[in-house]
């Protein structure tokens, strides 16, 4: 990370160490990303959310969202590498709704996985999370593109499993777009349920950074502002877990 970014990143590192999470506005996230790379393909990156496939696992339980998934490896030297496509797995301990199964999703499109925006986001995460865990040399990284759709009949559920942990070390939740929706408030809790904070990602590049072992997080359901128009919330979720 470039030296000129230190005044922006230092408060975030302190907040993560002190609270276990922080909310970061786009006005801060964009220069932080651009301190390590470029967002030159951002429009194509954001448009790729229009090409997500349905989450058939969730639809089977009467809920609906769209998603794509990719796995990367990263190391403390700054290397981030796309890995062969593989399933997403969480134990029942962390996902009571869909745990203990291997879930295969459509892969993130190659042009997006290797494009400037995602590579820049991953480079920032690698540097930031490695600073918080200097003992970790190698990371297992997962990338999730999510679109939550809402209608008058059915509210969209960004976290249908409720307040939860992901079973990783660190999480980035980055807003890509929200169209014609109300709510979608991120809530942070202690493991015993005590509220620690809440905020709403409203602008592209607004972000939440989370130290997963310390806090639980969830997102309230989203509903259409105008019932006659399509409504969706697009986010990128990146998780970093130390390789054993």
């Amino acid at each position: 990370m470039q030296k000129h970014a230190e005044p922006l990143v230092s408060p975030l590192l302190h907040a993560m160490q002190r609270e276990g999470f922080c909310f970061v506005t786009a006005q801060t996230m964009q220069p932080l990303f651009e301190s390590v790379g470029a967002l030159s393909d951002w429009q194509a990156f954001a448009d790729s959310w229009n090409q997500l496939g349905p989450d058939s696992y969730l639809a089977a339980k009467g809920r609906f969202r769209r998603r794509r998934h990719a796995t990367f490896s990263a190391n403390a030297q700054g290397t981030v590498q796309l890995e062969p496509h593989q399933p997403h797995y969480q134990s029942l301990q962390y996902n009571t709704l869909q745990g203990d199964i291997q879930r295969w999703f459509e892969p993130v499109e190659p042009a997006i996985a290797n494009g400037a925006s995602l590579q820049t986001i991953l480079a920032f995460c690698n540097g930031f999370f490695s600073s918080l865990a200097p003992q970790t040399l190698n990371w297992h990284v997962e990338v999730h593109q999510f679109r939550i759709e809402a209608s008058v009949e059915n509210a969209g559920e960004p976290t249908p499993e409720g307040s939860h942990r992901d079973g990783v070390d660190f999480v980035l939740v980055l807003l890509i777009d929200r169209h014609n929706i109300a709510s979608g408030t991120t809530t942070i809790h202690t493991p015993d349920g005590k509220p620690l904070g809440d905020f709403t990602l409203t602008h592209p590049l607004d972000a939440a950074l989370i130290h997963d072992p310390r806090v639980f997080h969830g997102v309230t359901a989203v509903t259409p502002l105008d019932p006659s128009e399509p409504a969706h919330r697009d986010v990128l979720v990146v998780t970093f877990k130390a390789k054993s």
Side-chain angles (χ1 to χ4, degrees):
M1 204 165 296
Q2 300 297 319
K3 284 188 177 297
H4 68 264
E6 288 180 6
L8 294 175
V9 76
S10 293
L12 306 185
L13 291 170
H14 292 151
M16 291 287 284
Q17 291 164 338
R18 185 177 62 252
E19 308 291 345
F21 72 96
C22 57
F23 165 61
V24 193
T25 66
Q27 288 82 0
T28 296
M29 281 311 311
Q30 183 167 347
L32 284 174
F33 287 147
E34 291 176 342
S35 73
V36 297
L39 301 172
S40 52
D41 67 340
W42 180 262
Q43 192 58 58
F45 180 65
D47 287 347
S48 72
W49 265 255
N50 295 320
Q51 308 302 321
L52 305 188
D55 182 342
S56 58
Y57 300 93
L58 197 62
K61 298 183 182 297
R63 299 175 172 91
F64 192 77
R65 67 183 171 197
R66 297 181 180 275
R67 70 191 295 176
R68 286 182 183 265
H69 172 252
T71 302
F72 294 77
S73 59
N75 62 44
Q77 287 72 48
T79 300
V80 178
Q81 180 175 322
L82 180 65
E83 295 294 330
H85 192 50
Q86 54 195 269
H88 175 53
Y89 178 85
Q90 290 175 296
S91 70
L92 277 171
Q93 176 186 357
Y94 295 108
N95 190 332
T96 56
L97 195 63
Q98 297 177 306
D100 284 357
I101 58 174
Q102 291 189 338
R103 289 182 286 164
W104 288 91
F105 302 106
E106 291 186 20
V108 174
E109 295 173 325
I112 299 303
N114 295 303
S117 291
L118 186 54
Q119 289 294 313
T120 292
I121 292 164
L122 293 176
F124 166 79
C125 289
N126 192 24
F128 185 81
F129 295 146
S130 293
S131 295
L132 291 165
Q135 75 283 1
T136 300
L137 301 180
N138 296 285
W139 298 100
H140 173 79
V141 181
E142 295 193 44
V143 167
H144 307 262
Q145 293 179 285
F146 286 108
R147 168 167 285 183
I148 306 301
E149 297 177 330
S151 66
V152 176
E153 295 80 17
N154 296 292
E157 297 181 89
T159 54
E161 65 273 40
S163 185
H164 66 285
R165 290 186 295 151
D166 289 335
V168 297
D169 291 292
F170 297 102
V171 183
L172 164 77
V173 182
L174 184 72
L175 185 71
I176 305 301
D177 181 47
R178 53 185 288 152
H179 175 72
N180 188 37
I181 60 165
S183 194
T185 297
T186 299
T187 59
I188 307 292
H189 302 84
T190 62
D192 62 2
K194 177 185 175 183
L196 293 175
D198 61 79
F199 45 85
T200 303
L201 307 181
T202 56
H203 299 97
L205 294 176
D206 281 356
L209 295 163
I210 298 166
H211 188 196
D212 193 62
R214 289 180 58 188
V215 298
F216 280 61
H217 65 279
V219 183
T220 60
V222 296
T223 55
L225 291 169
D226 181 344
S228 66
E229 292 288 328
H232 65 254
R233 178 181 186 264
D234 294 349
V235 298
L236 178 77
V237 175
V238 178
T239 64
F240 270 59
K241 183 176 183 179
K243 283 187 177 179
S244 54

